[in-house]
Amino acid sequence: MLFFWVSLVAVFTGNFGRILGIPYLFLDPEYLNRVDFWSFFIVGFCMGGFTAAFNISCYILYGHEYSFLGVLERPFTKFSINNSLLPIIVNVAYLVFIFRFQLENEFRGPGDLFWKILGYLAGFLGMLAFLYTYFRLTNKDIFKYLTGSVDKRLKKVKVNRKRALDKLKEVRESKNRVDFYWDEKFRLRPTAYINDFYDKEAILKVFDQNHFNLVLIELLIIVVVLLLGFFMDNPYFQIPAAASAILFGTIFIMLSGAISYWFRSWGLIFSITAFLLLNFLVKMDVFRSLNPAFGLNYKGSRAEYSIKTLSDRNTPEVYNRDVESMLPVLEKWKAKQKTTGKPKMVFLCVSGGGQRAALWTMRVMQQMDSLLDGTLLDNTMMITGASGGIVGAAYYRELFLREKNGEIENRMENQYLSKIAMDNLNPMIFSLLVNDMFIRFQYFRYEGEVYLKDRGYAFENQLNRNTDMIMEKKLKDYQEAESNAEVPLLLMAPTIVNDGRKLYISTQDVGFMTTNAASTHAELITKIRGVDFRSFFKEQNADELRFLSALRMSATFPYITPNIELPSDPPLEIMDAGISDNYGISDAIRFVYVFRDWIEENTSGVVIFSVRDHQKNAEIEKKASESIVQKFSSPISSVYNNLGNIQDLNNDSRIEFATEWFNGNLYQIEVEYNTNTMFEGESGLPAEVLLERKQNERASLNWHLTTREKKNIIDNINLVSNQQALMRLKELLEAEEEEEE
């Protein structure tokens, strides 16, 4: 009964899910892309329903222990008033945290804060008023009905009667003593004058009556959740994710109460059994539902995924064929360079990091493009990376293409930063709670194919709306522009969960990325590093893949977005590109290696321009004291926390080795989203305090950003180190002609 209350407090206080930004769903709820009176009203309304459900369940489970309630008028109302200490404490704390968060992170004025708090209170109290009015009216009518029929109905259902009689026995054996209680007017009233109430039939009526109300409300909530799921595409039905979570909690607590009521001490055994049964059914694929990549054909034949097929598809002939097909693209890239000498080839490597990385990448590209008079993408041969960075880079590339075609005026306007920073988390969590966790029954049609809706669908559609649907394209729609070097190649490389290989998604044939050239030498034993998506899934309409689905495959963060399953046998399960290389460096170096001869002959060097969403060479933190729970989870968390460091070390080695086999000039430039510099003068603070302040300042890893976080990310470009890095790239590109001369 207390689990959800504890979970709720843990979330809004930031003790659970802070890194993922989960507390923001409760502290800054969005409705119709706004955080206002109505968004807080909906959250408060659902919280009022949860509080009422908590009191109903408690009343059914424990109300019988207080026999004096049986002779009081409106016993449930009085029970709820006296059971309200916990809800009051939690709600007051919740409001305090909302106030602090809005003041410190959203920079709200007193008037705005007042309306938001008022919205929450209006929703909360409005729901309570509605429900308790309903209880007062219906209890009277139901009681009259039960007076004449309860015995007959109870006798027909032996389980009901036995359960009620057991409760009656507990009443008689109860040793709970209550001397005073609060009435509806919040007056403290004694119980001494009230005689113990042991009328068997009356007790049975009360139990039956309140259980009936519990069932009605539970059914109503389930119907509401199903309706929300049915109309999930309608923005007006997309209630704040916090409200959805509270609705889910309401169902949970009412089911828990029902199980405890019916099964008493057997409740735990029943729950375990039910879980094991559910686990078995899931294992048998009874509830299995596909999370597809939209645009692909899942109805026809499936591509065989095995070592044999990988070997057959990754031959020296395929390698050489794809290398030859890429050479004209390189020539066209060279032809569009405006320098009279040999140009420098830029590889834009963008790191993952959710929405903060998307916004940071956009900000860096705009700033760098401004310094280069709009020629950044003309100098760039390829964009690689992961997650949010790829999303931001893809959006900016589309803006570049549209500006070139005269469809927009200026891709460097601040409005585009605002669009890529718009919330994308709320629709996903909403879909998870009202659709994915229940029976998925909604379908939609895309280019003649029918797919089940899931939170991945919600992610794509919200990103589509946020960016004015300018990326509503298929993979093949970028093929001509990339082949003609009108825009840089965009190479997406999500991870194949089945075996850890990369899935290379591109409009071009990139078989040379999947196999080492050295594999043509029989004396070397190498492992196929990846799968060329376009050729491998050719029969499944790879070119028809929705471009937003391709972006989602590179940005599939565990639990938040579902892993995509591709039409192969066995099905390839796709996850975030950041698992293998969060920075895209390895793929850029791989491309340079394959085409090193051409690059050495036709360019004056290669620039690896890395846009990172965190500091590379951060100070080593002093280890703070750990709790028992932290010590238990430390081995696992240490691996996860150091994954980026491990990838950095591997990428640094690749670049170091590249200086040996690459005979041209190789430059590496990095810009970093770095909040640690804000605390350089505070090294005297305790380790725990300093670490907490750094964590609070840094934008969370999710698809929702607060106003403070957005400002922090945008302003980070002004760091001295970042400005120096941008100027260094400008100097390198402007020095081409001088070097040739």
Side-chain angles (χ1 to χ4, degrees), residues 155-355:
K155 289 176 181 178
K156 290 180 180 179
V157 187
K158 295 182 179 180
V159 176
N160 280 9
R161 186 171 181 84
K162 182 180 184 303
R163 187 71 196 97
L165 291 172
D166 288 341
K167 286 293 184 181
L168 180 59
K169 183 179 179 182
E170 292 176 14
V171 172
R172 290 171 173 168
E173 296 176 352
S174 175
K175 297 180 180 180
N176 290 331
R177 174 180 172 181
V178 178
D179 296 320
F180 298 92
Y181 71 94
W182 297 98
D183 65 8
E184 292 93 333
K185 298 181 179 180
F186 299 98
R187 296 175 299 186
L188 195 62
R189 303 295 298 273
T191 62
Y193 72 95
I194 303 175
N195 296 320
D196 286 341
F197 185 69
Y198 294 133
D199 184 270
K200 180 177 67 174
E201 298 303 331
I203 291 288
L204 293 175
K205 294 172 185 178
V206 171
F207 288 155
D208 192 64
Q209 169 187 313
N210 287 283
H211 186 261
F212 180 72
N213 266 336
L214 174 68
V215 172
L216 283 181
I217 296 174
E218 191 166 14
L219 290 175
L220 177 63
I221 294 173
I222 292 174
V223 170
V224 169
V225 171
L226 292 175
L227 285 174
L228 290 174
F230 186 79
F231 295 104
M232 60 181 291
D233 287 339
N234 190 321
Y236 289 94
F237 285 85
Q238 293 181 7
I239 64 174
S244 304
I246 294 170
L247 277 179
F248 180 80
T250 303
I251 296 175
F252 173 83
I253 202 169
M254 297 183 82
L255 286 175
S256 299
I259 292 172
S260 298
Y261 176 81
W262 289 111
F263 297 95
R264 302 181 66 191
S265 60
W266 292 87
L268 179 61
I269 295 177
F270 173 82
S271 299
I272 295 174
T273 303
F275 174 79
L276 293 175
L277 177 61
L278 179 63
N279 184 68
F280 174 77
L281 294 175
V282 171
K283 186 177 181 180
M284 299 298 295
D285 290 339
V286 175
F287 301 110
R288 181 177 176 83
S289 56
L290 183 70
N291 298 111
F294 308 133
L296 297 184
N297 182 6
Y298 287 81
K299 296 179 181 178
S301 62
R302 293 180 170 246
E304 181 184 350
Y305 189 69
S306 64
I307 295 297
K308 183 180 183 304
T309 55
L310 287 177
S311 300
D312 292 342
R313 292 174 177 271
N314 290 272
T315 62
E317 292 75 20
V318 172
Y319 178 93
N320 293 327
R321 182 200 67 194
D322 291 356
V323 166
E324 290 298 320
S325 68
M326 184 58 65
L327 291 176
V329 181
L330 293 172
E331 293 291 344
K332 290 177 181 178
W333 173 85
K334 180 184 176 183
K336 77 173 183 178
Q337 302 305 308
K338 299 178 181 179
T339 179
T340 56
K342 293 182 178 180
K344 286 186 174 65
M345 179 178 285
V346 177
F347 288 83
L348 181 59
C349 303
V350 296
S351 75
Q355 198 158 32

Side-chain angles (χ1 to χ4, degrees), residues 136-149:
R136 182 172 181 177
L137 296 176
T138 57
N139 280 356
K140 182 179 179 181
D141 295 337
I142 293 173
F143 190 85
K144 288 181 177 180
Y145 169 74
L146 289 173
T147 300
S149 62

Side-chain angles (χ1 to χ4, degrees), residues 99-119:
F99 183 88
R100 287 179 53 190
F101 180 86
Q102 292 292 323
L103 194 66
E104 297 173 1
N105 293 273
E106 299 297 328
F107 313 123
R108 305 299 185 185
D112 187 65
L113 276 172
F114 170 78
W115 280 107
K116 289 176 178 176
I117 298 296
L118 181 64

Side-chain angles (χ1 to χ4, degrees), residues 376-550:
L376 172 63
L377 294 188
D378 289 326
N379 293 113
T380 302
M381 177 64 207
M382 175 181 285
I383 300 172
T384 63
S387 190
I390 281 290
V391 173
Y395 180 49
Y396 189 77
R397 189 183 72 152
E398 177 62 30
L399 293 172
F400 170 79
L401 185 61
R402 289 183 175 254
E403 184 179 337
K404 181 181 289 189
N405 295 333
E407 298 177 47
I408 63 171
E409 293 184 2
N410 184 7
R411 65 184 181 275
M412 301 181 197
E413 293 179 358
N414 289 333
Q415 64 167 310
Y416 301 117
L417 290 176
S418 299
K419 291 180 183 296
I420 199 64
M422 292 177 66
D423 174 76
N424 210 17
L425 182 62
N426 192 78
M428 286 190 290
I429 302 299
F430 173 79
S431 177
L432 171 65
L433 295 173
V434 304
N435 182 67
D436 295 18
M437 296 190 69
F438 293 88
I439 300 175
R440 290 167 55 191
F441 58 90
Q442 288 206 76
Y443 295 83
F444 79 104
R445 185 175 294 274
Y446 179 79
E447 299 297 330
E449 299 289 342
V450 178
Y451 306 96
L452 270 171
K453 294 181 179 179
D454 59 9
R455 60 191 184 279
Y457 166 84
F459 172 85
E460 292 182 22
N461 279 9
Q462 187 62 42
L463 178 61
N464 211 12
R465 286 192 291 266
N466 291 348
T467 55
D468 299 320
M469 301 187 178
I470 65 173
M471 292 191 291
E472 180 57 89
K473 293 183 174 182
K474 301 175 184 177
L475 186 65
K476 67 179 183 181
D477 293 335
Y478 287 103
Q479 187 172 20
E480 183 178 355
E482 290 190 7
S483 298
N484 294 328
E486 296 177 23
V487 295
L489 300 177
L490 182 67
L491 183 64
M492 292 165 279
T495 305
I496 300 173
V497 176
N498 307 55
D499 54 21
R501 291 182 170 91
K502 290 186 176 185
L503 179 70
Y504 289 102
I505 305 175
S506 173
T507 66
Q508 311 298 310
D509 293 323
V510 290
F512 50 79
M513 297 295 296
T514 66
T515 307
N516 290 326
S519 64
T520 58
H521 301 287
E523 69 273 13
L524 296 180
I525 302 174
T526 60
K527 186 172 182 174
I528 298 171
R529 69 179 63 238
V531 175
D532 179 10
F533 170 82
R534 187 164 179 263
S535 63
F536 194 85
F537 291 101
K538 183 179 181 179
E539 299 299 323
Q540 289 72 38
N541 299 336
D543 285 337
E544 302 295 321
L545 174 69
R546 190 186 194 191
F547 184 67
L548 292 167
S549 291

